[in-house]
Amino acid sequence: MADSDREKELKAFDDTKLGVKGLVDAGITKIPRIFHHPPDNFKKASDLGYKDYTIPVIDLASIREDLRERERVVERIKEASETWGFFQIVNHGIPVSTLEEMVDGVLRFFEQDSEVKKEFYTRELRPFFYTSNYNLYTTAPTTWKDSFYCNLAPNAPKPEDLPAVCRDILVEYSNEVLKLGTLLFELLSEALGLDPTYLTNIGCTEGLFAFSHYYPACPEPELTMGTAKHSDMDFITVLLQGHIGGLQVFHKDMWIDLPPLTGALVVNIGDFLQLISNDKFKSAQHRVLANPIGPRVSIACFFSTGLNPTSRIYGPIKELLSEDNPAKYREFTVPKFLAHHRTKCLNGTLVAEDADIGKAINNARDADIGKAINPTEDADIGLLSEPEAYESPVFKKYVTQCTPHVATTCSITSRTDLKIESEAILGLCLFDSMERCLVQHEIANVNYRLFRPPSPPPGRGPPIEPIDPIPPWIPSPPIVPRTKLDNHQHLQYYQTLLTETTKFRTVLRRCTHVSAELSHCS
Ligand SMILES: O=C(O)CCC(=O)C(=O)O
Ligand SMILES: [Fe+2]
């Protein structure tokens, strides 16, 4: 789809102020092209016959009275946060009737008279607003949902800023979530071996905002996504989902369903907590499938000062560090972190996964701020550092222009038999497709070998040291015909290309968020 056509379609869609629900109400049977997403190659655990992959459900019923039980719960939270980055909680103290009323409140908001609802439609940050696809005009495929956004703490919303149809329940529910947050951060602090008040004392409960999503039934669910793959850029998220499923968590190169459970809340670790726990806890990627039945609703409450940033400095918690476990990240402030990611994403410098406000735009590990301190694996062979590699004009050019191409050129179809780590698989797939991009777009007519140059014929330029930047766990993908280097010009060209390709590899190997399906801002 040409960019200008896409732009026009996006604008027309935006101007209706009716969102995806408006399309469904108009009776469409085919979804507009702006919603088309490239197919995903990763499998669902259930399709592979794995039945034992289930996200832990943790019962908080007696943790206040029974110390032993509290210890057991803390242990389970620790395990879930280290392995999954996700768990569900039941008997958390919020009455089921409040949860049900919150879900109903969301339905009432999205299903109210459209003229009243349109009053809330905007892309500007307001205490409460509604929109469809916050970053509609970025390069991302549009997702099949409408959302409202509400800032809850530290500045509680004024009642008059909230829509009448869900005002009371929103206030009640957010007070409950704030209370629950204090308990969760106590348990998470204990799970990290810290004093129970540690995470609260460093401000983890200070900020809260809600995104509530309305996913209408989709006539062609296989062509689009409800929410694209992302991780949350916050400390933790408390998610209430209605009665229709679709949420999936990425785990061991598979998508694991997280089906709704009456009375339960989903808790997931965000990028900030991963970062301050020095990678002990994992911020897992997740997504929501579009569904032929609907509407599905959800309310995600993000513990982050994202909408009221403070100058507080965060970094790996000192008490968790030791000689064997040195800090993996630099310190950061929330505003810098957000600004950095937003700029990166909106510039298209690095195509990111999800640019909704406060969400994971890029993985913390890859940011300049909060960036991994470890020397690059490639330092010993004289490669650029990762930030420099991001600046590589060739990298920018291909990553930004060729992302859809990446999706279609990856030749790796079977991952389940590849016994390598997930990053490696992603890396392999990306390298494979990136190289194909290079070959198809730019260099098909140039004679060269990409990775292992032959020695030039005697007397034709200096011998080339075979540089193999590929770590053993990323096999070199098979690649297209390359004839011999036969003159000095080609040799130089090859060397430039090799450097650039190596920069790709430097970057891509670390960028789990650059997705092989299609990197984008959703
Ligand atoms: O709708 C859902 O279940 C998940 C939404 C989500 O992941 C988010 O808003 O960050
Ligand atoms: Fe999320």
Side-chain angles (χ1 to χ4, degrees):
M1 185 174 184
D3 284 354
S4 56
D5 291 346
R6 179 175 165 79
E7 192 91 351
K8 272 190 220 138
E9 282 194 31
L10 291 173
K11 174 92 174 65
F13 169 70
D14 202 16
D15 286 348
T16 67
K17 301 188 175 188
L18 294 173
V20 174
K21 181 171 188 304
L23 298 174
V24 174
D25 290 345
I28 57 147
T29 52
K30 297 236 164 281
I31 68 170
R33 284 172 306 171
I34 51 170
F35 291 95
H36 287 196
H37 284 233
D40 171 19
N41 293 321
F42 291 101
K43 291 268 182 296
K44 271 175 71 169
S46 47
D47 294 345
L48 295 168
Y50 296 118
K51 299 214 166 33
D52 46 348
Y53 278 125
T54 45
I55 288 159
V57 178
I58 304 178
D59 189 340
L60 306 186
S62 25
I63 53 168
R64 288 217 162 75
E65 312 83 61
D66 182 344
L67 260 182
R68 276 277 167 79
E69 182 56 17
R70 187 179 176 107
E71 275 169 21
R72 271 194 291 272
V73 163
V74 166
E75 190 50 38
R76 291 202 68 202
I77 288 182
K78 174 171 176 272
E79 226 176 86
S81 305
E82 288 176 1
T83 348
W84 288 95
F86 265 81
F87 53 92
Q88 298 211 68
I89 47 173
V90 290
N91 295 314
H92 36 65
I94 306 185
V96 177
S97 56
T98 306
L99 304 183
E100 299 281 344
E101 173 54 11
M102 187 65 248
V103 168
D104 287 348
V106 175
L107 285 168
R108 283 198 299 276
F109 175 80
F110 285 100
E111 293 177 354
Q112 69 185 312
D113 181 271
S114 32
E115 291 309 312
V116 181
K117 190 169 71 168
K118 275 182 184 175
E119 295 294 312
F120 292 95
Y121 192 92
T122 181
R123 289 183 189 284
E124 276 169 32
L125 279 181
R126 297 202 188 137
F128 180 100
F129 67 100
Y130 132 77
T131 198
S132 184
N133 287 267
Y134 184 73
N135 282 315
L136 187 69
Y137 295 104
T138 61
T139 54
T142 314
T143 54
W144 197 257
K145 69 169 176 302
D146 303 327
S147 310
F148 74 61
Y149 302 75
C150 186
N151 194 2
L152 301 169
N155 303 321
K158 293 196 200 100
E160 63 268 27
D161 289 334
L162 299 176
V165 285
C166 58
R167 181 179 294 147
D168 295 346
I169 185 61
L170 210 46
V171 172
E172 181 186 338
Y173 183 68
S174 66
N175 288 336
E176 293 281 9
V177 173
L178 278 168
K179 259 195 296 180
L180 176 63
T182 307
L183 171 65
L184 286 170
F185 281 108
E186 265 178 27
L187 298 170
L188 287 161
S189 299
E190 289 172 42
L192 286 168
L194 301 165
D195 186 86
T197 55
Y198 194 100
L199 292 173
T200 298
N201 289 346
I202 62 166
C204 294
T205 49
E206 244 166 50
L208 185 69
F209 54 92
F211 292 169
S212 185
H213 307 298
Y214 180 92
Y215 302 88
C218 181
E220 294 181 299
E222 64 294 343
L223 296 183
T224 189
M225 289 299 298
T227 292
K229 181 169 82 172
H230 68 284
S231 58
D232 293 345
M233 193 151 61
D234 62 355
F235 292 105
I236 60 167
T237 308
V238 175
L239 176 83
L240 165 61
Q241 40 174 352
H243 302 290
I244 296 179
L247 176 61
Q248 296 186 321
V249 178
F250 197 55
H251 181 73
K252 298 199 173 164
D253 295 321
M254 286 175 291
W255 285 108
I256 316 288
D257 290 321
L258 209 167
L261 177 64
T262 303
L265 287 165
V266 176
V267 179
N268 62 287
I269 307 296
D271 291 347
F272 296 168
L273 188 49
Q274 168 164 348
L275 208 142
I276 64 173
S277 73
N278 209 33
D279 278 354
K280 190 159 173 59
F281 288 172
K282 302 280 178 294
S283 165
Q285 298 201 310
H286 50 286
R287 68 178 187 184
V288 180
L289 298 178
N291 205 318
I293 50 166
R296 172 183 190 272
V297 297
S298 68
I299 304 101
C301 287
F302 297 84
F303 280 92
S304 159
T305 51
L307 295 184
N308 306 83
T310 70
S311 54
R312 207 186 264 275
I313 292 172
Y314 290 101
I317 293 170
K318 304 273 182 299
E319 288 80 344
L320 303 180
L321 305 179
S322 65
E323 222 169 87
D324 297 338
N325 180 28
K328 291 183 178 152
Y329 299 101
R330 298 205 175 121
E331 292 183 325
F332 67 101
T333 63
V334 170
K336 274 204 177 159
F337 198 100
L338 297 176
H340 174 84
H341 285 298
R342 219 167 270 144
T343 320
K344 243 184 181 175
C345 185
L346 296 179
N347 284 347
T349 310
L350 182 67
V351 222
E353 299 213 312
D354 199 331
D356 280 357
I357 340 156
K359 284 195 183 172
I361 292 176
N362 294 313
N363 195 305
R365 283 173 290 245
D366 299 313
D368 280 343
I369 308 148
K371 162 177 151 10
I373 298 174
N374 292 341
T376 70
E377 289 161 59
D378 296 314
D380 54 344
I381 52 169
L383 292 177
L384 295 183
S385 70
E386 189 182 346
E388 284 168 315
Y390 281 133
E391 291 314 307
S392 153
V394 179
F395 175 76
K396 275 191 199 171
K397 184 173 159 203
Y398 287 108
V399 171
T400 53
Q401 292 180 4
C402 263
T403 29
H405 193 208
V406 167
T408 50
T409 49
C410 179
S411 68
I412 299 156
T413 49
S414 158
R415 296 190 171 75
T416 46
D417 54 345
L418 290 171
K419 304 251 181 303
I420 42 181
E421 295 294 314
S422 61
E423 271 189 37
I425 292 172
L426 181 58
L428 174 60
C429 184
L430 279 161
F431 298 163
D432 180 73
S433 42
M434 277 298 181
E435 285 168 3
R436 277 157 213 277
C437 282
L438 279 170
V439 167
Q440 287 176 19
H441 288 313
E442 181 76 349
I443 51 177
N445 55 352
V446 176
N447 297 329
Y448 81 108
R449 276 175 64 101
L450 203 50
F451 292 110
R452 288 181 193 279
S455 291
R460 294 278 190 104
I464 314 170
E465 283 303 308
I467 304 171
D468 188 351
I470 312 160
W473 44 271
I474 299 183
S476 181
I479 192 114
V480 279
R482 300 151 202 159
T483 47
K484 284 190 209 142
L485 289 171
D486 58 1
N487 64 35
H488 191 60
Q489 206 183 9
H490 283 166
L491 187 63
Q492 280 186 334
Y493 188 73
Y494 155 75
Q495 279 173 329
T496 314
L497 233 134
L498 178 66
T499 315
E500 292 300 343
T501 311
T502 308
K503 286 182 221 163
F504 283 155
R505 292 181 166 237
T506 310
V507 172
L508 294 178
R509 195 163 53 245
R510 292 175 172 75
C511 290
T512 50
H513 57 274
V514 180
S515 136
E517 295 95 80
L518 175 60
S519 304
H520 60 269
C521 309
S522 86

